[in-house]
Amino acid sequence: MADTKSGRYANSNATSGPSGSSSSTPPNISQLVQGPANLECKDFQEYLRTRQTPETLEKLYNYPPICLAVYRDLPEIARQFIIRILFVDQPVPQAVVSSWGAQRCAKEQQEATSCLTSLNVWRVTAIPGGLAAWELSPTFKKSVRQILLGGGKPWPMTNTLEKDSKPRDIAFLDSYAMSRWRCVLHYMVGTGNRNGTDAEAISPDAVRILLHANLMKRDERDGITITRQGFQFLLLDTRAQVWHFMMQYLDTCEERGISLPECLSMLFQLSFSTLGRDYSSEGMSHQMLAFLQHLREFGLVFQRKRKEGRFYPTRLALNVTSKESADATTAIVTMSASEEEERMQDRGYIVVETNYRVYAYTDSPLQVAVLGLFTELLYRFPNLVVGVLTRDSVRQALRGGITAEQIISYLEQYAHPNMKLVESAINSKSCLPPTVVDQIKLWEMERNRFTYTEGVVYNQFLSTTDFVTLRDYAQSIQVLVWQNEKTRTMVVQKNGHDDVKRYWKKYSKSAG
C-alpha cells in the first residue's frame, strides 16, 4: 500500500529531489515564475477607459474642466471631428465623417474613432433609412459648448482677491514643490523620517497611498519597504510620478468621503491655472478644502496656513495631466546655472568599474539612497559617493522585488558620459563592464534556481510492481513530477492527486 503526503516539490537547476512536507501550501509554479507585476503608469485616457464605467464618465462630463482636459488630450483628428459636429443638433452619418479625411489617413481616422468611442464622447445611433451615425454625448456636448461660449457656473477658484502682501514668485514655488515631492521619494528609499517627528515627514495619507499603489509594502521584519513597482516608480520622470501618485489617490476618494468628479475637476482647474498667480479658496465645499490640503502636502499647491483663503498652484499641478510638460520652456528659462549643472549630472553621474566599484558624482540624498538599495556604500564625500556591488547588497535588492534588469537599466541610464566612450562600450550594447552585468544576472539566477510545485508524495509501496503501475499511470495522465524507483517514491501534482488516488483504490481492489 502507498502512503501519501501533501507537500511541495523543489526543482533545482543543479540537483533534483523532493523536499519535505510543508505546513503551509506554497503557490504553484506559474505564480512563482510570473513574479510581481510591473508598474502600470497609465495616462489620462487610459485611466478613463480602464477605470471608469460609461455611467461614471457621464457624471464626469458634467464638469467643464474635465471635458476640456479630455478634449485637449485627444488626437488631432478626433478634436477636428468634435468641432465639426459640436453645433450639429442631429446625428451625422458615419460615411460622412469618414469622407472628411483622405484615404492615406484611414488608419489615423480609425484610431480617432476608436478613441472617441472608448471614452464615451460619442456613440453609434441609427437615422432614418437604417444608416449608422455618430452622435455626441449630450452631457459632453453641453460642457464643451460652455467652455467655448461661456456660461454655466463659475469655477470656485475664480473669485477675486486683494493683492497679496507677501507674494510668492515662481522660483519659490518651484523650490517648494520639489522639496515637498522629494519628501515622498526620500521616504520610499528610506531616507525620510518614518517616525513622523520631522516637520518635513510625509503625512499618513501619503503613506496609505504608497501602500495602496503597491509602491511600498509592510514587512514584519523590515517594517515598510519599497517594492519592485516602487523602484520602477523612482525611475519615472517627476510629471509621470506625480500623475501616477494622484491616480492612486483618486482611487481612494470614495473611501475618504470625497467626490471623484469634484476632485478631478479641481485637479484640472489647477492644470489650467497660471503659474505664479494666487487663487481664492472661498466658496469651496468642505470636501474640496480637504482635497486642497492633501494637494498642499504633496506639493501641488502652496498655502501659508491651512485656513488662509488664498493658494498658489505649483508647476507640479500645471503639468500633471498633460502628456508633455506645457511649461518646459519656462522651466528652462527660469533655471539657474547651478540647477542646470545639477540637471546635467542627473543625466550621467555614475561610473562602474570592473572591480564592482560604483562612483556616483552627486550630493543628492535621494540619488545616494537609491544607490543604497542595491550597493554597499563605502565612502561619502561632498560631491562623490563610493559604493560596491556585492552579493549581499544585490540579494537584498532582489528580496525587495527589484530585478537584475532594473539594476542594470538604472546604472546604464545614469552612466557617466565618459563610460560610453570606452572602446568596450562602443563595441557592445551596454556601457557597463560585461563582468559586472553578468555577475548581477548570475546573483539573480542563484536565487531563482529553485522552483516550487504543489504536489503529493507517494511512498512506502509494498512492492516494486505496485510502484511501477501507479507511476506509469501518473505519467500517462501527465501529472508525475518526480519519481525514484529505488526508494519507491514519487511526487504527483496536487490537481492530479484525486485521479491517481481513485486509480490506486481501483487497482488495490482488483489486485486483492
Side-chain angles (χ1 to χ4, degrees), residues 430-442:
S430 175
C431 59
L432 302 179
T435 53
V436 175
V437 174
D438 292 343
Q439 187 59 66
I440 294 175
K441 292 181 179 179
L442 286 173

Side-chain angles (χ1 to χ4, degrees), residues 91 93-95 125-133:
Q94 292 184 357
T125 186
I127 58 177
L131 296 176

Side-chain angles (χ1 to χ4, degrees), residues 127-363:
I127 58 177
L131 296 176
W134 293 116
E135 181 183 26
L136 279 181
S137 165
T139 308
F140 185 86
K141 179 191 291 187
K142 178 182 177 181
S143 296
V144 174
R145 284 182 175 181
Q146 286 184 5
I147 293 170
L148 296 178
L149 305 178
K153 296 181 180 179
W155 295 0
M157 51 187 286
T158 56
N159 294 334
T160 57
L161 283 171
E162 296 180 0
K163 187 176 180 180
D164 192 356
S165 58
K166 297 180 180 179
R168 301 297 183 177
D169 57 11
I170 296 177
F172 171 84
L173 295 176
D174 287 343
S175 175
Y176 168 82
M178 291 312 301
S179 66
R180 292 303 309 163
W181 184 246
R182 282 173 183 153
C183 286
V184 177
L185 303 182
H186 288 174
Y187 182 88
M188 291 183 62
V189 295
T191 60
N193 187 340
R194 296 187 180 179
N195 296 325
T197 57
D198 195 335
E200 295 298 319
I202 68 174
S203 65
D205 281 318
V207 177
R208 283 195 291 270
I209 295 172
L210 293 175
L211 294 173
H212 170 78
N214 198 30
L215 301 178
M216 304 193 74
K217 63 180 180 181
R218 294 190 183 275
D219 190 283
E220 295 180 358
R221 181 178 61 181
D222 301 325
I224 299 180
T225 59
I226 191 170
T227 64
R228 173 183 178 180
Q229 295 183 8
F231 186 78
Q232 294 174 345
F233 178 81
L234 295 175
L235 302 183
L236 299 175
D237 61 88
T238 302
R239 187 205 62 79
Q241 288 177 346
V242 176
W243 167 245
H244 183 74
F245 186 85
M246 291 306 303
M247 187 172 63
Q248 301 301 322
Y249 176 92
L250 294 174
D251 285 344
T252 64
C253 281
E254 301 299 333
E255 300 176 6
R256 303 169 186 270
I258 303 177
S259 170
L260 173 62
E262 289 186 10
C263 286
L264 267 178
S265 178
M266 177 69 177
L267 195 61
F268 290 128
Q269 288 180 38
L270 293 175
S271 69
F272 299 134
S273 60
T274 303
L275 186 64
R277 177 186 169 187
D278 56 335
Y279 293 87
S280 173
S281 61
E282 295 182 5
M284 291 185 180
S285 63
H286 293 292
Q287 293 182 345
M288 289 301 97
L289 290 176
F291 180 57
L292 186 66
Q293 292 307 313
H294 292 157
L295 296 178
R296 177 193 181 196
E297 294 169 359
F298 307 149
L300 274 70
V301 299
F302 167 77
Q303 194 175 26
R304 293 190 190 90
K305 299 178 182 179
R306 290 179 176 270
K307 295 183 179 180
E308 188 174 15
R310 87 175 65 234
F311 64 90
Y312 291 82
T314 68
R315 198 182 302 275
L316 295 182
L318 270 65
N319 296 339
V320 66
T321 59
S322 60
K323 290 183 178 179
E324 299 179 357
S325 298
D327 296 300
T329 305
T330 307
I332 295 175
V333 172
T334 59
M335 189 177 296
S336 64
S338 60
E339 290 172 331
E340 179 66 23
E341 182 180 356
E342 181 180 355
R343 182 178 176 182
M344 292 299 296
Q345 290 178 356
D346 290 347
R347 292 176 181 173
Y349 64 94
I350 296 177
V351 175
V352 182
E353 294 186 338
T354 54
N355 60 358
Y356 306 100
R357 287 289 182 101
V358 179
Y359 300 88
Y361 293 90
T362 180
D363 57 358

Side-chain angles (χ1 to χ4, degrees), residues 4 23 25 79 110 133 146 211 432:
T4 61
S23 58
T25 303
R79 295 199 298 267
Q110 181 62 32
Q146 286 184 5
L211 294 173
L432 302 179

